[in-house]
Amino acid sequence: MSESVIRVIPRLDLRGRRPGLRELRAALPRAEFDVETALATVRPIVEDVRDRGAAALHDAAERFDGVRPASLRVPAEVVSAAVDTLDPAVRAALEESIRRARIVHADQRRTDTTTRVADGGTVTERWVPVDRVGLYVPGGLAVYPSSVVMNVVPAQLAGVPSLAVASPPQRDHGGWPHPTILAACHLLGVDEVYAMGGAQAVAAFAYGFDEGEQTCEPVSLVTGPGNIYVAAAKRLLKGLIGIDAEAGPTEIAVLADVTADPDHVASDLVSQAEHDPLAAAVLVTDSVELADAVEAALGRRVAATKHTERVATALAGRQSAVVLVDDVEVGLDVVNAYAAEHLEIHTADAAAVAARVRNAGAVFVGTWAPVSLGDYCAGSNHVLPTGGCACHSSGLSVQSFLRGIHVVEYDEAALREVGGHVVSLARAEDLPAHGEAVLARVPEVEPGA
Ligand code: NAD
């Protein structure tokens, strides 16, 4: 294929080179409109919610979702009634998704550990769930009942006592969140649900608000996926609230060699591109033959899929590319530098290559584990870090909702034994009052003893 051809997806040719991390970070495809850019848009929205509460939330709903909900809190009977109209096949699928997610997440629960450091001296790590969390469920271009499952299951297994869900009001559904989202909430036993979306929902959870008799108390942690505005609001409010990770517009990277099935690869790239025009699809391969075949398959699939325009925009955007490399070794450098939300491995020895991946939100090994399996029913969590955050953050899990609190218990003899060292270090830091606090209890200890 000549370079003058207009491609469905850009190409980046790294053959003949083994770039380092700095060069890769500069070269690899990223969206032009990123979280940093979106901060300017979300700041006034967040400040308006902080200052005007419910009134700001209604105005934002009208402006961004085209509807003013009758109330921000969805009445409990509306939540429960949604199950009555749920398609039985969707109900069965949701129940299976919940069942598998519970199996996997139950294994993530932590037990307290007590370590005896010295005679009479112990440190216990006590795992305590966050008191109250706000769970964001997207509902703009698509609706995401699966994200109800992915948020609620780990929060419940962590033992969070108070959890609330927010999802954008839907014009076609009387201003309430989509009924499938409400039904998923009901199936999971969640009844505190709000009709609010985007940055304003994150702000509402962070600050809390009153509406008539109702109060939405502020939360300590907001989790869940969302578009670029949701991710930007999480970044802006981090500190006031905890966040899981920036789980913004979806990304898929595929590391493949000539043994890969081009149609499987193309179908997976399209499946993630359909989330958002800002979604990223990246194929990293050492095979020009595969790259050409995937591109041909993409051409066919993009034309045939339901959301052609959205997918075509995502694939053609600056955030997507076919990256050509010399071999799988360099391919691993590239995917580790890119730190994709989702990484698929389609190589001859997929499990061995997958074992060498260091940075990814989730890894899908071989041709029978497509990302869409993980989106719904693998048992894994689909709320995953984006924008390179997978090099330092994890996907949502039970751990996301827990804090480890160290409980320190020393008796007098144990303090006496180590007290001299505390005094020495306190003096070394020019914080002598620290040492004096020990000497007030055990005056006879000698520094360094
Ligand atoms: P959404 O609920 O995230 O966003 C809709 C809201 O965005 C609207 O309610 C509105 O408030 C706000 N908004 C829209 N345009 C705006 C503008 N111009 N200015 C300010 N606010 C605006 O739903 P969505 O749009 O369908 O996006 C869902 C996103 O979630 C997609 O990007 C998808 O890729 C992503 N996702 C990520 C993960 C993950 O774990 N990383 C998982 C699933 C989905």
Side-chain angles (χ1 to χ4, degrees):
M1 199 183 288
S2 99
E3 282 306 317
S4 60
V5 169
I6 297 175
R7 297 185 176 281
V8 281
I9 184 167
R11 260 189 201 191
L12 173 63
D13 195 344
L14 296 179
R15 285 174 299 173
R17 296 187 297 132
R18 188 162 190 180
L21 181 60
R22 208 170 117 78
E23 193 187 336
L24 281 174
R25 283 202 176 150
L28 289 177
R30 292 287 180 200
E32 202 162 5
F33 189 65
D34 60 8
V35 175
E36 194 63 29
T37 323
L39 282 174
T41 308
V42 307
R43 194 181 295 276
I45 300 171
V46 165
E47 288 173 354
D48 197 29
V49 172
R50 180 196 62 198
D51 297 342
R52 295 197 304 123
L57 291 165
H58 279 282
D59 289 351
E62 184 164 12
R63 179 173 163 205
F64 296 117
D65 306 304
V67 62
R68 291 179 89 86
S71 62
L72 295 165
R73 173 85 185 251
V74 184
E77 59 276 15
V78 174
V79 178
S80 56
V83 173
D84 303 336
T85 53
L86 188 59
D87 176 335
V90 177
R91 180 178 181 143
L94 274 173
E95 285 173 345
E96 184 60 12
S97 171
I98 293 167
R99 192 183 72 78
R100 290 179 184 229
R102 280 187 176 145
I103 296 172
V104 172
H105 292 81
D107 273 352
Q108 297 171 344
R109 281 179 295 196
R110 309 203 59 156
T111 45
D112 297 354
T113 50
T114 297
T115 306
R116 198 183 66 81
V117 185
D119 282 347
T122 61
V123 176
T124 298
E125 183 144 49
R126 195 153 63 83
W127 292 101
V128 182
V130 173
D131 287 336
R132 176 167 163 77
V133 300
L135 309 176
Y136 187 77
V137 174
L141 300 174
V143 289
Y144 291 84
S146 54
S147 295
V148 179
V149 178
M150 300 299 167
N151 271 305
V152 171
V153 166
Q156 287 179 334
L157 284 165
V160 173
S162 170
L163 50 90
V165 165
S167 194
Q170 305 290 316
R171 217 174 7 201
D172 300 341
H173 296 282
W176 304 127
H178 194 278
T180 314
I181 286 174
L182 299 180
C185 289
H186 186 69
L187 289 175
L188 284 154
V190 175
D191 60 7
E192 189 180 346
V193 185
Y194 295 92
M196 50 194 196
Q200 59 274 20
V202 181
F205 278 144
Y207 295 113
F209 61 91
D210 291 321
E211 186 183 30
E213 303 284 283
Q214 306 261 13
T215 295
C216 174
E217 296 287 0
V219 305
S220 303
L221 175 73
V222 172
T223 69
N227 63 15
I228 199 78
Y229 305 105
V230 174
K234 284 166 85 177
R235 183 180 293 185
L236 190 64
L237 287 159
K238 188 177 171 186
L240 175 62
I241 50 170
I243 64 168
D244 47 345
E246 287 181 13
T250 294
E251 300 158 356
I252 176 173
V254 179
L255 176 57
D257 62 16
V258 73
T259 66
D261 181 320
D263 199 47
H264 290 186
V265 173
S267 64
D268 294 354
L269 295 173
V270 171
S271 79
Q272 298 307 301
E274 90 174 329
H275 277 286
D276 194 315
L278 286 177
V282 175
L283 168 63
V284 181
T285 184
D286 60 354
S287 165
V288 177
E289 183 190 334
L290 180 79
D292 289 344
V294 168
E295 206 169 320
L298 281 175
R300 290 191 297 274
R301 285 191 167 272
V302 174
T305 197
K306 180 174 180 189
H307 302 296
T308 293
E309 199 180 324
R310 199 187 301 159
V311 171
T313 306
L315 292 178
R318 273 186 34 178
Q319 69 274 21
S320 297
V322 171
V323 182
L324 293 173
V325 290
D326 279 334
D327 51 36
V328 170
E329 229 22 63
V330 183
L332 270 166
D333 289 352
V334 171
V335 296
N336 278 323
Y338 183 64
E341 179 197 6
H342 307 105
L343 174 62
E344 290 188 354
I345 308 290
H346 294 246
T347 58
D349 48 357
V353 173
R356 297 180 55 208
V357 170
R358 300 193 52 79
N359 300 324
V363 182
F364 296 81
V365 185
T367 218
W368 307 112
V371 169
S372 49
L373 171 69
D375 280 342
Y376 299 121
C377 281
S380 54
N381 204 292
H382 83 198
V383 184
L384 299 164
T386 53
C389 292
C391 74
H392 53 71
S393 296
S394 312
L396 198 62
S397 70
V398 168
Q399 178 73 36
S400 313
F401 296 94
L402 296 174
R403 290 143 311 132
I405 300 179
H406 275 173
V407 180
V408 179
E409 291 175 279
Y410 270 55
D411 64 18
E412 184 181 341
L415 179 63
R416 182 172 290 113
E417 188 204 357
V418 77
H421 292 306
V422 177
V423 173
S424 295
L425 286 171
R427 289 178 185 169
E429 292 194 349
D430 193 24
L431 297 170
H434 283 62
E436 287 154 19
V438 168
L439 293 169
R441 293 167 169 80
V442 283
E444 69 282 15
V445 301
E446 294 291 329

